[in-house]
mmCIF file of all heavy atoms in Angstrom:
data_model
loop_
_atom_site.group_PDB
_atom_site.id
_atom_site.type_symbol
_atom_site.label_atom_id
_atom_site.label_comp_id
_atom_site.label_asym_id
_atom_site.label_seq_id
_atom_site.Cartn_x
_atom_site.Cartn_y
_atom_site.Cartn_z
ATOM 1 N N LEU A 977 -66.945 -117.056 -159.852
ATOM 2 C CA LEU A 977 -67.716 -118.188 -159.349
ATOM 3 C C LEU A 977 -67.529 -119.355 -160.306
ATOM 4 O O LEU A 977 -67.541 -119.172 -161.523
ATOM 5 C CB LEU A 977 -69.206 -117.830 -159.271
ATOM 6 C CG LEU A 977 -69.583 -116.609 -158.448
ATOM 7 C CD1 LEU A 977 -71.058 -116.267 -158.658
ATOM 8 C CD2 LEU A 977 -69.289 -116.847 -156.983
ATOM 9 N N TYR A 978 -67.376 -120.539 -159.755
ATOM 10 C CA TYR A 978 -67.241 -121.736 -160.569
ATOM 11 C C TYR A 978 -68.522 -122.542 -160.418
ATOM 12 O O TYR A 978 -68.977 -122.798 -159.303
ATOM 13 C CB TYR A 978 -66.014 -122.538 -160.139
ATOM 14 C CG TYR A 978 -64.753 -121.766 -160.392
ATOM 15 C CD1 TYR A 978 -64.219 -120.922 -159.418
ATOM 16 C CD2 TYR A 978 -64.125 -121.833 -161.625
ATOM 17 C CE1 TYR A 978 -63.068 -120.185 -159.664
ATOM 18 C CE2 TYR A 978 -62.975 -121.095 -161.873
ATOM 19 C CZ TYR A 978 -62.460 -120.275 -160.889
ATOM 20 O OH TYR A 978 -61.331 -119.544 -161.146
ATOM 21 N N ILE A 979 -69.105 -122.904 -161.567
ATOM 22 C CA ILE A 979 -70.439 -123.503 -161.567
ATOM 23 C C ILE A 979 -70.420 -124.827 -162.319
ATOM 24 O O ILE A 979 -69.981 -124.896 -163.467
ATOM 25 C CB ILE A 979 -71.460 -122.528 -162.191
ATOM 26 C CG1 ILE A 979 -71.436 -121.217 -161.383
ATOM 27 C CG2 ILE A 979 -72.837 -123.140 -162.234
ATOM 28 C CD1 ILE A 979 -72.213 -120.094 -161.995
ATOM 29 N N LYS A 980 -70.932 -125.837 -161.659
ATOM 30 C CA LYS A 980 -70.989 -127.176 -162.228
ATOM 31 C C LYS A 980 -72.233 -127.335 -163.088
ATOM 32 O O LYS A 980 -73.276 -126.763 -162.802
ATOM 33 C CB LYS A 980 -71.019 -128.196 -161.077
ATOM 34 C CG LYS A 980 -70.905 -129.631 -161.516
ATOM 35 C CD LYS A 980 -70.799 -130.523 -160.301
ATOM 36 C CE LYS A 980 -70.576 -131.960 -160.727
ATOM 37 N NZ LYS A 980 -70.336 -132.825 -159.584
ATOM 38 N N ASN A 981 -72.115 -128.127 -164.137
ATOM 39 C CA ASN A 981 -73.206 -128.515 -165.045
ATOM 40 C C ASN A 981 -73.539 -127.487 -166.114
ATOM 41 O O ASN A 981 -74.591 -127.586 -166.742
ATOM 42 C CB ASN A 981 -74.484 -128.900 -164.281
ATOM 43 C CG ASN A 981 -74.277 -130.067 -163.350
ATOM 44 O OD1 ASN A 981 -73.453 -130.939 -163.622
ATOM 45 N ND2 ASN A 981 -74.979 -130.078 -162.242
ATOM 46 N N MET A 982 -72.683 -126.511 -166.337
ATOM 47 C CA MET A 982 -72.898 -125.593 -167.467
ATOM 48 C C MET A 982 -72.291 -126.259 -168.701
ATOM 49 O O MET A 982 -71.091 -126.482 -168.742
ATOM 50 C CB MET A 982 -72.219 -124.243 -167.204
ATOM 51 C CG MET A 982 -72.905 -123.399 -166.157
ATOM 52 S SD MET A 982 -72.067 -121.826 -165.873
ATOM 53 C CE MET A 982 -72.423 -120.957 -167.400
ATOM 54 N N VAL A 983 -73.126 -126.573 -169.691
ATOM 55 C CA VAL A 983 -72.630 -127.319 -170.838
ATOM 56 C C VAL A 983 -72.951 -126.690 -172.193
ATOM 57 O O VAL A 983 -72.516 -127.212 -173.219
ATOM 58 C CB VAL A 983 -73.146 -128.782 -170.829
ATOM 59 C CG1 VAL A 983 -72.619 -129.540 -169.628
ATOM 60 C CG2 VAL A 983 -74.667 -128.810 -170.859
ATOM 61 N N CYS A 984 -73.710 -125.596 -172.197
ATOM 62 C CA CYS A 984 -74.098 -125.042 -173.489
ATOM 63 C C CYS A 984 -74.371 -123.537 -173.359
ATOM 64 O O CYS A 984 -74.351 -122.988 -172.261
ATOM 65 C CB CYS A 984 -75.346 -125.745 -174.022
ATOM 66 S SG CYS A 984 -76.801 -125.513 -172.974
ATOM 67 N N ASP A 985 -74.654 -122.919 -174.496
ATOM 68 C CA ASP A 985 -74.937 -121.482 -174.507
ATOM 69 C C ASP A 985 -76.207 -121.145 -173.727
ATOM 70 O O ASP A 985 -76.305 -120.087 -173.112
ATOM 71 C CB ASP A 985 -75.058 -120.978 -175.948
ATOM 72 C CG ASP A 985 -73.722 -120.986 -176.674
ATOM 73 O OD1 ASP A 985 -72.681 -120.927 -175.989
ATOM 74 O OD2 ASP A 985 -73.717 -121.046 -177.918
ATOM 75 N N ARG A 986 -77.169 -122.057 -173.745
ATOM 76 C CA ARG A 986 -78.396 -121.819 -172.993
ATOM 77 C C ARG A 986 -78.129 -121.772 -171.490
ATOM 78 O O ARG A 986 -78.710 -120.978 -170.758
ATOM 79 C CB ARG A 986 -79.434 -122.891 -173.326
ATOM 80 C CG ARG A 986 -80.836 -122.445 -172.975
ATOM 81 C CD ARG A 986 -81.864 -123.439 -173.402
ATOM 82 N NE ARG A 986 -82.237 -124.134 -172.184
ATOM 83 C CZ ARG A 986 -82.557 -125.404 -172.093
ATOM 84 N NH1 ARG A 986 -82.563 -126.139 -173.152
ATOM 85 N NH2 ARG A 986 -82.879 -125.943 -170.954
ATOM 86 N N CYS A 987 -77.196 -122.620 -171.044
ATOM 87 C CA CYS A 987 -76.800 -122.610 -169.631
ATOM 88 C C CYS A 987 -76.196 -121.253 -169.267
ATOM 89 O O CYS A 987 -76.496 -120.700 -168.206
ATOM 90 C CB CYS A 987 -75.772 -123.703 -169.355
ATOM 91 S SG CYS A 987 -76.393 -125.379 -169.584
ATOM 92 N N ILE A 988 -75.368 -120.738 -170.145
ATOM 93 C CA ILE A 988 -74.748 -119.433 -169.920
ATOM 94 C C ILE A 988 -75.830 -118.367 -169.778
ATOM 95 O O ILE A 988 -75.794 -117.531 -168.872
ATOM 96 C CB ILE A 988 -73.767 -119.092 -171.057
ATOM 97 C CG1 ILE A 988 -72.532 -119.995 -170.966
ATOM 98 C CG2 ILE A 988 -73.365 -117.619 -171.033
ATOM 99 C CD1 ILE A 988 -71.583 -119.883 -172.151
ATOM 100 N N LYS A 989 -76.815 -118.414 -170.670
ATOM 101 C CA LYS A 989 -77.898 -117.424 -170.646
ATOM 102 C C LYS A 989 -78.686 -117.498 -169.341
ATOM 103 O O LYS A 989 -78.981 -116.468 -168.709
ATOM 104 C CB LYS A 989 -78.822 -117.654 -171.843
ATOM 105 C CG LYS A 989 -79.962 -116.676 -171.926
ATOM 106 C CD LYS A 989 -80.863 -116.976 -173.113
ATOM 107 C CE LYS A 989 -82.009 -115.977 -173.128
ATOM 108 N NZ LYS A 989 -83.049 -116.306 -174.046
ATOM 109 N N VAL A 990 -79.029 -118.704 -168.914
ATOM 110 C CA VAL A 990 -79.822 -118.882 -167.696
ATOM 111 C C VAL A 990 -79.054 -118.374 -166.479
ATOM 112 O O VAL A 990 -79.593 -117.633 -165.652
ATOM 113 C CB VAL A 990 -80.225 -120.367 -167.506
ATOM 114 C CG1 VAL A 990 -80.802 -120.618 -166.125
ATOM 115 C CG2 VAL A 990 -81.212 -120.786 -168.588
ATOM 116 N N VAL A 991 -77.790 -118.765 -166.359
ATOM 117 C CA VAL A 991 -76.991 -118.343 -165.213
ATOM 118 C C VAL A 991 -76.851 -116.823 -165.191
ATOM 119 O O VAL A 991 -77.011 -116.183 -164.148
ATOM 120 C CB VAL A 991 -75.606 -119.038 -165.212
ATOM 121 C CG1 VAL A 991 -74.673 -118.406 -164.189
ATOM 122 C CG2 VAL A 991 -75.765 -120.529 -164.946
ATOM 123 N N LYS A 992 -76.588 -116.237 -166.345
ATOM 124 C CA LYS A 992 -76.437 -114.787 -166.434
ATOM 125 C C LYS A 992 -77.721 -114.082 -165.987
ATOM 126 O O LYS A 992 -77.680 -113.169 -165.156
ATOM 127 C CB LYS A 992 -76.087 -114.377 -167.860
ATOM 128 C CG LYS A 992 -75.839 -112.894 -168.061
ATOM 129 C CD LYS A 992 -75.422 -112.612 -169.511
ATOM 130 C CE LYS A 992 -74.953 -111.220 -169.720
ATOM 131 N NZ LYS A 992 -75.960 -110.190 -169.691
ATOM 132 N N GLU A 993 -78.846 -114.516 -166.507
ATOM 133 C CA GLU A 993 -80.132 -113.899 -166.161
ATOM 134 C C GLU A 993 -80.435 -114.034 -164.666
ATOM 135 O O GLU A 993 -80.863 -113.075 -164.032
ATOM 136 C CB GLU A 993 -81.265 -114.519 -166.982
ATOM 137 C CG GLU A 993 -81.250 -114.115 -168.436
ATOM 138 C CD GLU A 993 -82.282 -114.851 -169.276
ATOM 139 O OE1 GLU A 993 -82.989 -115.754 -168.739
ATOM 140 O OE2 GLU A 993 -82.383 -114.550 -170.478
ATOM 141 N N GLU A 994 -80.199 -115.203 -164.108
ATOM 142 C CA GLU A 994 -80.517 -115.435 -162.700
ATOM 143 C C GLU A 994 -79.618 -114.605 -161.782
ATOM 144 O O GLU A 994 -80.091 -114.054 -160.785
ATOM 145 C CB GLU A 994 -80.409 -116.925 -162.349
ATOM 146 C CG GLU A 994 -81.465 -117.788 -163.013
ATOM 147 C CD GLU A 994 -82.892 -117.489 -162.568
ATOM 148 O OE1 GLU A 994 -83.089 -116.916 -161.475
ATOM 149 O OE2 GLU A 994 -83.820 -117.830 -163.311
ATOM 150 N N LEU A 995 -78.332 -114.506 -162.103
ATOM 151 C CA LEU A 995 -77.437 -113.706 -161.271
ATOM 152 C C LEU A 995 -77.748 -112.215 -161.389
ATOM 153 O O LEU A 995 -77.661 -111.480 -160.397
ATOM 154 C CB LEU A 995 -75.978 -113.989 -161.620
ATOM 155 C CG LEU A 995 -75.475 -115.385 -161.223
ATOM 156 C CD1 LEU A 995 -74.043 -115.594 -161.693
ATOM 157 C CD2 LEU A 995 -75.593 -115.622 -159.732
ATOM 158 N N GLU A 996 -78.133 -111.782 -162.574
ATOM 159 C CA GLU A 996 -78.519 -110.378 -162.742
ATOM 160 C C GLU A 996 -79.786 -110.068 -161.959
ATOM 161 O O GLU A 996 -79.918 -108.981 -161.395
ATOM 162 C CB GLU A 996 -78.668 -110.039 -164.226
ATOM 163 C CG GLU A 996 -77.326 -109.916 -164.929
ATOM 164 C CD GLU A 996 -77.427 -109.702 -166.434
ATOM 165 O OE1 GLU A 996 -78.504 -109.993 -167.020
ATOM 166 O OE2 GLU A 996 -76.417 -109.259 -167.018
ATOM 167 N N LYS A 997 -80.722 -111.010 -161.895
ATOM 168 C CA LYS A 997 -81.932 -110.815 -161.098
ATOM 169 C C LYS A 997 -81.595 -110.621 -159.624
ATOM 170 O O LYS A 997 -82.304 -109.929 -158.910
ATOM 171 C CB LYS A 997 -82.879 -112.018 -161.229
ATOM 172 C CG LYS A 997 -83.656 -112.086 -162.506
ATOM 173 C CD LYS A 997 -84.570 -113.307 -162.461
ATOM 174 C CE LYS A 997 -85.080 -113.677 -163.823
ATOM 175 N NZ LYS A 997 -85.842 -114.943 -163.788
ATOM 176 N N LEU A 998 -80.510 -111.263 -159.179
ATOM 177 C CA LEU A 998 -80.079 -111.133 -157.788
ATOM 178 C C LEU A 998 -79.283 -109.845 -157.552
ATOM 179 O O LEU A 998 -78.864 -109.582 -156.427
ATOM 180 C CB LEU A 998 -79.240 -112.342 -157.374
ATOM 181 C CG LEU A 998 -79.975 -113.678 -157.269
ATOM 182 C CD1 LEU A 998 -78.996 -114.799 -156.963
ATOM 183 C CD2 LEU A 998 -81.072 -113.622 -156.217
ATOM 184 N N GLY A 999 -79.049 -109.067 -158.629
ATOM 185 C CA GLY A 999 -78.369 -107.785 -158.483
ATOM 186 C C GLY A 999 -76.885 -107.800 -158.768
ATOM 187 O O GLY A 999 -76.178 -106.830 -158.475
ATOM 188 N N PHE A 1000 -76.382 -108.874 -159.368
ATOM 189 C CA PHE A 1000 -74.962 -108.948 -159.692
ATOM 190 C C PHE A 1000 -74.717 -108.463 -161.110
ATOM 191 O O PHE A 1000 -75.533 -108.683 -162.002
ATOM 192 C CB PHE A 1000 -74.447 -110.384 -159.533
ATOM 193 C CG PHE A 1000 -74.445 -110.836 -158.111
ATOM 194 C CD1 PHE A 1000 -75.540 -111.505 -157.566
ATOM 195 C CD2 PHE A 1000 -73.364 -110.573 -157.285
ATOM 196 C CE1 PHE A 1000 -75.560 -111.909 -156.245
ATOM 197 C CE2 PHE A 1000 -73.374 -110.965 -155.958
ATOM 198 C CZ PHE A 1000 -74.470 -111.632 -155.444
ATOM 199 N N GLU A 1001 -73.600 -107.801 -161.294
ATOM 200 C CA GLU A 1001 -73.191 -107.353 -162.621
ATOM 201 C C GLU A 1001 -72.214 -108.389 -163.174
ATOM 202 O O GLU A 1001 -71.196 -108.689 -162.547
ATOM 203 C CB GLU A 1001 -72.504 -105.986 -162.518
ATOM 204 C CG GLU A 1001 -72.081 -105.429 -163.855
ATOM 205 C CD GLU A 1001 -71.396 -104.082 -163.707
ATOM 206 O OE1 GLU A 1001 -71.771 -103.313 -162.801
ATOM 207 O OE2 GLU A 1001 -70.456 -103.818 -164.497
ATOM 208 N N ILE A 1002 -72.536 -108.935 -164.340
ATOM 209 C CA ILE A 1002 -71.710 -109.971 -164.946
ATOM 210 C C ILE A 1002 -70.655 -109.318 -165.832
ATOM 211 O O ILE A 1002 -70.986 -108.631 -166.795
ATOM 212 C CB ILE A 1002 -72.567 -110.957 -165.778
ATOM 213 C CG1 ILE A 1002 -73.719 -111.514 -164.945
ATOM 214 C CG2 ILE A 1002 -71.694 -112.065 -166.356
ATOM 215 C CD1 ILE A 1002 -73.335 -112.223 -163.677
ATOM 216 N N ASN A 1003 -69.392 -109.545 -165.505
ATOM 217 C CA ASN A 1003 -68.298 -109.003 -166.309
ATOM 218 C C ASN A 1003 -67.894 -109.963 -167.424
ATOM 219 O O ASN A 1003 -67.590 -109.543 -168.530
ATOM 220 C CB ASN A 1003 -67.086 -108.712 -165.422
ATOM 221 C CG ASN A 1003 -67.390 -107.666 -164.375
ATOM 222 O OD1 ASN A 1003 -68.148 -106.736 -164.617
ATOM 223 N ND2 ASN A 1003 -66.835 -107.834 -163.196
ATOM 224 N N LYS A 1004 -67.904 -111.261 -167.116
ATOM 225 C CA LYS A 1004 -67.520 -112.273 -168.098
ATOM 226 C C LYS A 1004 -68.175 -113.585 -167.685
ATOM 227 O O LYS A 1004 -68.234 -113.915 -166.507
ATOM 228 C CB LYS A 1004 -65.997 -112.433 -168.127
ATOM 229 C CG LYS A 1004 -65.505 -113.467 -169.106
ATOM 230 C CD LYS A 1004 -63.990 -113.608 -169.037
ATOM 231 C CE LYS A 1004 -63.545 -114.743 -169.951
ATOM 232 N NZ LYS A 1004 -62.137 -115.065 -169.759
ATOM 233 N N ILE A 1005 -68.664 -114.328 -168.684
ATOM 234 C CA ILE A 1005 -69.257 -115.626 -168.390
ATOM 235 C C ILE A 1005 -68.908 -116.602 -169.504
ATOM 236 O O ILE A 1005 -69.036 -116.299 -170.689
ATOM 237 C CB ILE A 1005 -70.793 -115.515 -168.188
ATOM 238 C CG1 ILE A 1005 -71.381 -116.848 -167.749
ATOM 239 C CG2 ILE A 1005 -71.482 -114.964 -169.396
ATOM 240 C CD1 ILE A 1005 -72.800 -116.761 -167.227
ATOM 241 N N VAL A 1006 -68.388 -117.741 -169.105
ATOM 242 C CA VAL A 1006 -68.071 -118.843 -170.015
ATOM 243 C C VAL A 1006 -68.544 -120.123 -169.332
ATOM 244 O O VAL A 1006 -68.955 -120.093 -168.175
ATOM 245 C CB VAL A 1006 -66.554 -118.925 -170.340
ATOM 246 C CG1 VAL A 1006 -66.096 -117.709 -171.120
ATOM 247 C CG2 VAL A 1006 -65.727 -119.093 -169.083
ATOM 248 N N LEU A 1007 -68.484 -121.227 -170.031
ATOM 249 C CA LEU A 1007 -68.927 -122.487 -169.442
ATOM 250 C C LEU A 1007 -68.186 -122.747 -168.139
ATOM 251 O O LEU A 1007 -66.966 -122.761 -168.092
ATOM 252 C CB LEU A 1007 -68.690 -123.651 -170.398
ATOM 253 C CG LEU A 1007 -69.528 -123.654 -171.670
ATOM 254 C CD1 LEU A 1007 -69.163 -124.849 -172.532
ATOM 255 C CD2 LEU A 1007 -71.008 -123.649 -171.360
ATOM 256 N N GLY A 1008 -68.940 -122.911 -167.071
ATOM 257 C CA GLY A 1008 -68.374 -123.262 -165.786
ATOM 258 C C GLY A 1008 -67.780 -122.133 -164.976
ATOM 259 O O GLY A 1008 -67.331 -122.343 -163.850
ATOM 260 N N GLU A 1009 -67.790 -120.914 -165.502
ATOM 261 C CA GLU A 1009 -67.100 -119.823 -164.821
ATOM 262 C C GLU A 1009 -67.804 -118.482 -165.057
ATOM 263 O O GLU A 1009 -68.128 -118.145 -166.187
ATOM 264 C CB GLU A 1009 -65.678 -119.753 -165.376
ATOM 265 C CG GLU A 1009 -64.690 -119.061 -164.519
ATOM 266 C CD GLU A 1009 -63.280 -119.243 -165.058
ATOM 267 O OE1 GLU A 1009 -62.857 -120.393 -165.308
ATOM 268 O OE2 GLU A 1009 -62.616 -118.220 -165.255
ATOM 269 N N VAL A 1010 -68.019 -117.746 -163.969
ATOM 270 C CA VAL A 1010 -68.657 -116.434 -164.061
ATOM 271 C C VAL A 1010 -67.836 -115.440 -163.263
ATOM 272 O O VAL A 1010 -67.521 -115.675 -162.101
ATOM 273 C CB VAL A 1010 -70.085 -116.459 -163.470
ATOM 274 C CG1 VAL A 1010 -70.718 -115.074 -163.535
ATOM 275 C CG2 VAL A 1010 -70.952 -117.481 -164.169
ATOM 276 N N ASN A 1011 -67.474 -114.339 -163.895
ATOM 277 C CA ASN A 1011 -66.822 -113.248 -163.184
ATOM 278 C C ASN A 1011 -67.877 -112.178 -162.988
ATOM 279 O O ASN A 1011 -68.415 -111.644 -163.949
ATOM 280 C CB ASN A 1011 -65.622 -112.713 -163.972
ATOM 281 C CG ASN A 1011 -64.885 -111.664 -163.193
ATOM 282 O OD1 ASN A 1011 -65.351 -110.541 -163.049
ATOM 283 N ND2 ASN A 1011 -63.723 -112.033 -162.672
ATOM 284 N N ALA A 1012 -68.202 -111.916 -161.720
ATOM 285 C CA ALA A 1012 -69.298 -111.001 -161.407
ATOM 286 C C ALA A 1012 -68.870 -109.985 -160.360
ATOM 287 O O ALA A 1012 -67.899 -110.188 -159.638
ATOM 288 C CB ALA A 1012 -70.506 -111.789 -160.912
ATOM 289 N N GLU A 1013 -69.649 -108.919 -160.300
ATOM 290 C CA GLU A 1013 -69.412 -107.867 -159.329
ATOM 291 C C GLU A 1013 -70.682 -107.681 -158.515
ATOM 292 O O GLU A 1013 -71.779 -107.685 -159.056
ATOM 293 C CB GLU A 1013 -69.058 -106.569 -160.056
ATOM 294 C CG GLU A 1013 -68.418 -105.528 -159.197
ATOM 295 C CD GLU A 1013 -67.905 -104.368 -160.034
ATOM 296 O OE1 GLU A 1013 -67.151 -104.608 -160.990
ATOM 297 O OE2 GLU A 1013 -68.291 -103.229 -159.716
ATOM 298 N N GLY A 1014 -70.508 -107.566 -157.210
ATOM 299 C CA GLY A 1014 -71.664 -107.371 -156.350
ATOM 300 C C GLY A 1014 -71.294 -107.594 -154.899
ATOM 301 O O GLY A 1014 -70.123 -107.587 -154.535
ATOM 302 N N GLU A 1015 -72.310 -107.800 -154.083
ATOM 303 C CA GLU A 1015 -72.103 -108.038 -152.665
ATOM 304 C C GLU A 1015 -72.185 -109.542 -152.397
ATOM 305 O O GLU A 1015 -73.229 -110.155 -152.549
ATOM 306 C CB GLU A 1015 -73.155 -107.281 -151.859
ATOM 307 C CG GLU A 1015 -73.033 -105.778 -152.007
ATOM 308 C CD GLU A 1015 -74.126 -105.011 -151.282
ATOM 309 O OE1 GLU A 1015 -74.893 -105.625 -150.516
ATOM 310 O OE2 GLU A 1015 -74.204 -103.788 -151.486
ATOM 311 N N PHE A 1016 -71.053 -110.136 -152.015
ATOM 312 C CA PHE A 1016 -70.947 -111.583 -151.855
ATOM 313 C C PHE A 1016 -70.962 -112.010 -150.390
ATOM 314 O O PHE A 1016 -70.228 -112.898 -149.989
ATOM 315 C CB PHE A 1016 -69.685 -112.105 -152.544
ATOM 316 C CG PHE A 1016 -69.754 -112.052 -154.029
ATOM 317 C CD1 PHE A 1016 -69.220 -110.971 -154.717
ATOM 318 C CD2 PHE A 1016 -70.353 -113.059 -154.750
ATOM 319 C CE1 PHE A 1016 -69.282 -110.898 -156.099
ATOM 320 C CE2 PHE A 1016 -70.424 -113.004 -156.134
ATOM 321 C CZ PHE A 1016 -69.890 -111.925 -156.802
ATOM 322 N N GLY A 1017 -71.816 -111.397 -149.594
ATOM 323 C CA GLY A 1017 -71.943 -111.800 -148.196
ATOM 324 C C GLY A 1017 -72.578 -113.178 -148.100
ATOM 325 O O GLY A 1017 -73.021 -113.757 -149.095
ATOM 326 N N LYS A 1018 -72.635 -113.712 -146.883
ATOM 327 C CA LYS A 1018 -73.192 -115.061 -146.666
ATOM 328 C C LYS A 1018 -74.606 -115.202 -147.210
ATOM 329 O O LYS A 1018 -74.935 -116.184 -147.852
ATOM 330 C CB LYS A 1018 -73.202 -115.388 -145.170
ATOM 331 C CG LYS A 1018 -71.998 -116.092 -144.676
ATOM 332 C CD LYS A 1018 -72.213 -116.526 -143.232
ATOM 333 C CE LYS A 1018 -70.956 -117.238 -142.746
ATOM 334 N NZ LYS A 1018 -71.049 -117.591 -141.323
ATOM 335 N N ASP A 1019 -75.443 -114.208 -146.948
ATOM 336 C CA ASP A 1019 -76.835 -114.277 -147.408
ATOM 337 C C ASP A 1019 -76.924 -114.361 -148.926
ATOM 338 O O ASP A 1019 -77.695 -115.149 -149.473
ATOM 339 C CB ASP A 1019 -77.634 -113.062 -146.915
ATOM 340 C CG ASP A 1019 -77.844 -113.083 -145.405
ATOM 341 O OD1 ASP A 1019 -77.701 -114.165 -144.802
ATOM 342 O OD2 ASP A 1019 -78.146 -112.009 -144.843
ATOM 343 N N ASN A 1020 -76.122 -113.544 -149.607
ATOM 344 C CA ASN A 1020 -76.152 -113.552 -151.067
ATOM 345 C C ASN A 1020 -75.577 -114.845 -151.638
ATOM 346 O O ASN A 1020 -76.049 -115.336 -152.665
ATOM 347 C CB ASN A 1020 -75.431 -112.334 -151.641
ATOM 348 C CG ASN A 1020 -76.319 -111.105 -151.638
ATOM 349 O OD1 ASN A 1020 -77.534 -111.196 -151.495
ATOM 350 N ND2 ASN A 1020 -75.712 -109.946 -151.811
ATOM 351 N N LEU A 1021 -74.563 -115.408 -150.988
ATOM 352 C CA LEU A 1021 -74.009 -116.681 -151.467
ATOM 353 C C LEU A 1021 -75.050 -117.795 -151.331
ATOM 354 O O LEU A 1021 -75.146 -118.656 -152.210
ATOM 355 C CB LEU A 1021 -72.728 -117.033 -150.719
ATOM 356 C CG LEU A 1021 -71.487 -116.254 -151.141
ATOM 357 C CD1 LEU A 1021 -70.303 -116.590 -150.248
ATOM 358 C CD2 LEU A 1021 -71.138 -116.505 -152.597
ATOM 359 N N VAL A 1022 -75.829 -117.768 -150.286
ATOM 360 C CA VAL A 1022 -76.915 -118.755 -150.120
ATOM 361 C C VAL A 1022 -77.946 -118.570 -151.234
ATOM 362 O O VAL A 1022 -78.416 -119.548 -151.820
ATOM 363 C CB VAL A 1022 -77.566 -118.627 -148.716
ATOM 364 C CG1 VAL A 1022 -78.851 -119.441 -148.637
ATOM 365 C CG2 VAL A 1022 -76.586 -119.054 -147.640
ATOM 366 N N LYS A 1023 -78.282 -117.322 -151.538
ATOM 367 C CA LYS A 1023 -79.228 -117.043 -152.621
ATOM 368 C C LYS A 1023 -78.686 -117.551 -153.957
ATOM 369 O O LYS A 1023 -79.424 -118.128 -154.758
ATOM 370 C CB LYS A 1023 -79.519 -115.545 -152.719
ATOM 371 C CG LYS A 1023 -80.360 -115.013 -151.588
ATOM 372 C CD LYS A 1023 -80.554 -113.511 -151.725
ATOM 373 C CE LYS A 1023 -81.283 -112.928 -150.526
ATOM 374 N NZ LYS A 1023 -81.390 -111.470 -150.588
ATOM 375 N N ILE A 1024 -77.387 -117.313 -154.194
ATOM 376 C CA ILE A 1024 -76.760 -117.787 -155.437
ATOM 377 C C ILE A 1024 -76.840 -119.307 -155.513
ATOM 378 O O ILE A 1024 -77.240 -119.868 -156.536
ATOM 379 C CB ILE A 1024 -75.294 -117.304 -155.537
ATOM 380 C CG1 ILE A 1024 -75.250 -115.793 -155.745
ATOM 381 C CG2 ILE A 1024 -74.568 -118.025 -156.672
ATOM 382 C CD1 ILE A 1024 -73.852 -115.192 -155.613
#
């Protein structure tokens, strides 16, 4: 997933926590980019 407005370590932490709350497993996260595992159906993409 490519995410706009991630500019610091705190942004990374927030995005990681929020995606994990939605049930996604985070494999790698850096500024602007998250590699995650989970169910990426339409409903979940709207939630993300």
